[in-house]
Amino acid sequence: MKWRIWLLSLGITLVCVLIFTFAATQVYYRSSINDSKNYLRVYMNGFSGEYPLNAEGAKEFSEKLNGARVTFMDGQGNVLADSLADGGMGNHSDRSEVIDAILHGEGFAVRGSSTVGKNMAYYCKSFDGGFLVRIALFTDSDWKIFANTLPTLLEFSAIIIALCAIIAFISTYFIITPVKKLAEDAAANSKVVSKYSELRPVAEILNERNRDIKRQLDEINKEKELAEKARASKDEFISNVTHEMNTPLTSIHGYAELLDAGGMSSEQQRTAYKTILNQSERLTNLIACIINYSEIDSDGLQSYEVDFSALAKEMLCALKPEADKRNISIAERIDEGVIIMSRHERLSEIFGNLVRNAIKYNKHGGCITVTLNSREFTVEDTGIGIAPENLDKVFSRFFTVDKSHNGKNGGFGLGLAVAKKICIKSGWEISVESVLGKGSKFKVKF
Ligand code: ADP
């Protein structure tokens, strides 16, 4: 780029020098022709009747004029004498200066002389005696003047080229440096600024590009982070599932081995069979829960209007025996005709999980209040409550506060995780407030 700028400035300078020289030559040429005209007029004033109109007279007058060519002609342009030619020059009435002199008294012309073979300025004047006197001076043609100036031109060109090289080098430095700085700043991803207004649009484009790249990088990083989180969550899920399956499997395997070995009393055998049945049932439940939890994501089923009021009442009826077993009373504050855009199975899943937990984690003889209106649905109990440090965790997969309790009640810590997953999918908000030892209140905001 530097070289291009340098060559371009050099080329422009040379063309300018040539044009200028040519124009100056023309001006100089015209001025010298004008001067010749004035000199020739002054010379002509020196002509008087003392010169005879013959070759001697012409030579004498020419000598007086420092060798200027003198031609005498009669009134019709027939040459009588010429200081540079010895007769035989014929008639000059076709020469423009002679024609002008015959018609208007004087004439001036510049051209190459056929007699002497050089460029000459002619001035011709008509005198009262009916004759014409013409004086001519050698003059340079414009091309000759141009050619004469060429050596000087070349000298100047050499100086100009040197100057041009220095100026081009300096200007290139001033042009290239800010552009280079822009490129360096852009490459370093820092904000590109320029004090030159011409470079500001470029700086703006570079900044925009940098912002785009940063945005894309952020998106890629975010996606990477999400993928990483998804992978970790999948690993954790698999490890939890394995752990949950391990307990019943070990128990089934152990009792099966004991039965196989024989020697057990019939009472012991009954316990073994019962345990194997219970544990295999638990295993089946676990698998069903896991399948249910996983299917929520892929379930692309359409929502429809569900009469949640009717569904809630129906479910409370079904759960009442379970509550009665522990002497737990249920207060219903269910508005009539609450219609929710969802699916029957999704709403019964959330409702069932929350109410079953309220029964499961309640105190004997406690009470439950179920509230439902078009804005929200709450299940409040007077049970064991949740410690503040566990409030955030209860919605996580496989989280159970009391690990020992886990086995007894068949809870895998998936109920609230399922409820949360359905809520997120439906755009609802699920939350919990609780005081340890006093009770909990689960709320779903539609
Ligand atoms: P689980 O099958 O163990 O009940 P959940 O996901 O339904 O699984 O609940 C997770 C944990 O949250 C439970 O193990 C329990 O410790 C706690 N929990 C849920 N509901 C209540 C409640 N109403 N009162 C007190 N603790 C609760």
Side-chain angles (χ1 to χ4, degrees), residues 180 191 202 209 253 298 321 354 434:
K180 246 167 120 181
K191 193 172 179 324
V202 182
R209 288 274 151 79
H253 189 255
S298 50
L354 294 186
S434 184

Side-chain angles (χ1 to χ4, degrees), residues 299-374:
D299 154 27
L301 298 169
Q302 281 289 315
S303 296
Y304 52 83
E305 286 185 351
V306 182
D307 184 343
F308 198 8
S309 308
L311 174 70
K313 282 179 184 167
E314 209 177 281
M315 289 199 71
L316 283 178
C317 256
L319 290 163
K320 202 167 177 301
E322 223 175 291
D324 286 345
K325 264 192 231 163
R326 302 191 62 214
N327 204 18
I328 292 167
S329 61
I330 300 179
E332 294 179 26
R333 287 188 197 154
I334 297 172
D335 283 3
E336 285 299 318
V338 175
I339 305 293
I340 301 292
M341 273 304 283
S342 182
R343 292 186 68 84
H344 198 273
E345 67 275 15
R346 288 180 197 159
L347 285 174
S348 48
E349 187 91 47
I350 298 175
F351 190 91
N353 279 334
L354 294 186
V355 177
R356 243 177 255 119
N357 279 351
I359 299 170
K360 232 182 343 179
Y361 302 108
N362 216 322
K363 290 168 194 161
H364 193 86
C367 68
I368 297 171
T369 310
V370 177
T371 313
L372 172 66
N373 55 49
S374 54

